[in-house]
Amino acid sequence: MPLSRRHALALATGAVAALTVPARAGARPAPAPTVAPVGPGFLWGVASAGFQCEGSAPDSNWRRYVDATPSYDRYGDAVDFFHRYRDDVGLAAGLGAGVYRISVEWARVQPRPGEWDEAGFAFYDAVIDAITAAGMRPMLTLDHWVYPGWAAERGGWAHPAMVTDWLAHARKVVDRYASRDPLWVTFNEPAAYLLNETTNGGLPAAAVPVMQQALVRAHNDIYDHIHAAQPGALVTSNLAYIAGTAEPVVNGPMIDAIAARLDYVGIDYYYGFSPQSIAQLSPDAMKQLWTLPLQPEGIYYALDHYARRFPGTPLYIVENGMPTRDGEPRADGYTRADDLRDTVYWIQRALADGIPVLGYNYWSITDNYEWGSYTPRFGLYTVDVRTDPTLTRRPTDAVAAYRDIIAARGVPADYRPTRAPATCSLVDAPDSCTDPVTVP
Ligand code: FCB
């Protein structure tokens, strides 16, 4: 049934959100003149994913998508984390970070059905050893959108055996690493996973509900397995935050079905739109991520949204960051350091308002393969994959900024964001129009 006018209006005004997310009780609290630092237990981290940084990649759905798509950049060896993980872990430790997020790639540890590759596991053993030896806690993603070529061959998530095989792999990973006390992420951004699978041809559109149900079953099953192996474990599936009104439609079906098995809510927040900025987007904007507008205060709205949806459950920003085009200055003049400081300011504001934020990860420690392209750069350390065969990691201005933030447990008390909150941010419309966040 096509979306009726009434439904479209309801979406636009947030009436749908009200069905699943309790309304805010009263007006937003007025900001105090200063912001307090985060607590000493707050987790500061960096996030990455196997396929995007490792290189030396075995056959997988994504290797096949790259091979089949001439417009995608050739993958090469990404930023060769496979051989340089000690250096990159050292860079994160040098920031003072306490969490390092990686994914354990199914394609690397199970090259053929029923066959496990000890050398593949040995690589992850060594990475996790390096992370813990540097005094950090691993955050392990079980599925960051990549699965073995043999599973792709038979139809990926549309195949009836996918959940059983995925669980066989995931249980092995859990049993091997539970003693290292990782934080767990089951599926990275499930809604984006579904979208990527369909746009790359790994999943027929008609099979979207099949995959969605499979992800739910797999998440709920592995959640119980993780808790049996690691009492007190913290497990999530991180959601790509879209906008308050769209959340129940885009992320709602998954999150509602796994709500009973989430120890923390993982949120990825990047872009924020307002009516004006949406109107100015180019038709290619989704392929030119560096043109998407940034609204650092949107992270406050996203946290507030999920604090109301899951009262009392800790929230964790599993990914946040900012793209440039090949490391060039952005057209809006925003630097990585300013964006980071402004974002952290809004996290401190959320904490001050009683929103339980457990941690924050920067995406990413280095630039990497952005699902088909090396052009969007998200790294604290930049890497010129196309032109620099030495793959040297060069610090951006955000390296010193993040180091200072971690040491001081946030931005200084009298910090004022370099970027003012947007008018009527769609991240939280219509409340952002009638009751926006403000700075003192
Ligand atoms: C997120 C993905 C991550 C990376 C960042 C920029 O949606 O989870 O792998 O591509 O965007």
Side-chain angles (χ1 to χ4, degrees):
M1 197 180 74
L3 199 67
S4 74
R5 266 199 182 188
R6 198 168 51 81
H7 278 110
L9 191 69
L11 267 176
T13 59
V16 169
L19 296 177
T20 50
V21 178
R24 186 172 299 101
R28 286 184 207 282
T34 57
V35 276
V38 304
F42 188 88
L43 299 170
W44 297 103
V46 294
S48 69
F51 182 74
Q52 290 181 269
C53 65
E54 286 174 3
S56 309
D59 183 22
S60 69
N61 59 331
W62 260 94
R63 279 228 79 125
R64 292 171 183 225
Y65 300 152
V66 176
D67 288 348
T69 315
S71 64
Y72 283 176
D73 280 347
R74 298 304 86 200
Y75 175 78
D77 270 321
V79 290
D80 193 27
F81 181 77
F82 190 71
H83 296 106
R84 297 167 200 242
Y85 64 88
R86 277 193 200 83
D87 297 344
D88 291 348
V89 167
L91 294 177
L95 299 168
V99 172
Y100 200 114
R101 176 183 180 217
I102 59 167
S103 62
V104 178
E105 292 297 302
W106 181 10
R108 192 179 293 292
V109 299
Q110 194 179 13
R112 275 162 292 279
E115 197 179 303
W116 303 95
D117 186 345
E118 257 310 302
F121 275 116
F123 166 65
Y124 294 110
D125 295 350
V127 175
I128 292 168
D129 283 348
I131 292 171
T132 54
M136 291 183 284
R137 188 171 179 187
M139 180 184 274
L140 300 183
T141 309
L142 291 169
D143 188 325
H144 204 116
W145 302 349
V146 179
Y147 50 82
W150 55 264
E153 188 84 49
R154 66 184 193 189
W157 281 98
H159 192 273
M162 188 66 165
V163 175
T164 312
D165 288 337
W166 187 93
L167 283 170
H169 149 70
R171 287 190 192 119
K172 269 197 179 286
V173 174
V174 169
D175 293 348
R176 194 160 179 128
Y177 299 123
S179 66
R180 317 301 296 269
D181 197 30
L183 296 147
W184 292 99
V185 175
T186 56
F187 291 100
N188 181 67
E189 297 187 355
Y193 194 5
L194 284 156
L195 185 68
N196 276 337
E197 285 294 281
T198 47
T199 51
N200 283 293
L203 189 80
V208 165
V210 174
M211 175 165 170
Q212 195 156 40
Q213 282 155 23
L215 299 188
V216 167
R217 273 172 51 215
H219 171 95
N220 286 338
D221 193 298
I222 201 68
Y223 176 96
D224 291 343
H225 188 83
I226 293 171
H227 274 271
Q230 185 184 339
L234 293 177
V235 183
T236 196
S237 164
N238 55 324
L239 308 162
Y241 192 83
I242 308 295
T245 49
E247 279 300 298
V249 180
V250 176
N251 288 314
M254 177 81 182
I255 194 123
D256 290 345
I258 64 172
R261 288 181 173 80
L262 285 176
D263 303 305
Y264 66 106
V265 184
I267 302 168
D268 295 0
Y269 175 79
Y270 287 93
Y271 315 104
F273 301 94
S274 53
Q276 303 92 306
S277 64
I278 283 240
Q280 286 161 12
L281 284 185
S282 86
D284 276 342
M286 291 316 290
K287 291 189 189 140
Q288 299 173 348
L289 299 179
W290 56 89
T291 67
L292 297 179
L294 302 172
Q295 290 178 358
E297 77 281 7
I299 210 159
Y300 179 104
Y301 291 132
L303 289 165
D304 183 40
H305 179 93
Y306 276 108
R308 280 180 285 128
R309 170 69 182 80
F310 291 97
T313 303
L315 312 176
Y316 193 126
I317 300 295
V318 168
E319 289 181 24
N320 166 257
M322 175 196 102
T324 65
R325 177 184 196 162
D326 280 325
E328 292 163 10
R330 286 175 55 96
D332 63 4
Y334 219 7
T335 71
R336 195 174 294 287
D338 280 339
D339 179 48
L340 174 59
R341 282 188 287 257
D342 288 0
T343 302
V344 169
Y345 168 85
W346 287 108
I347 292 173
Q348 288 169 257
R349 284 281 304 273
L351 281 160
D353 291 345
I355 296 175
V357 193
L358 183 64
Y360 169 87
N361 290 345
Y362 196 83
W363 178 277
S364 182
I365 181 70
T366 66
D367 293 335
N368 54 45
Y369 189 68
E370 180 51 32
W371 307 110
S373 176
Y374 285 111
T375 301
R377 305 248 188 119
F378 285 87
L380 293 167
Y381 285 84
T382 198
V383 187
D384 249 309
V385 174
R386 288 204 203 88
T387 58
D388 174 13
T390 69
L391 299 176
T392 300
R393 278 68 169 141
R394 288 178 290 115
T396 66
D397 63 346
V399 166
Y402 201 20
R403 197 181 290 131
D404 291 349
I405 284 169
I406 295 174
R409 291 200 264 120
V411 292
D414 59 356
Y415 185 81
R416 294 289 179 272
T418 62
R419 180 168 280 209
T423 307
C424 277
S425 166
L426 295 176
V427 177
D428 193 33
D431 288 6
S432 61
C433 312
T434 55
D435 187 15
V437 289
T438 54
V439 287

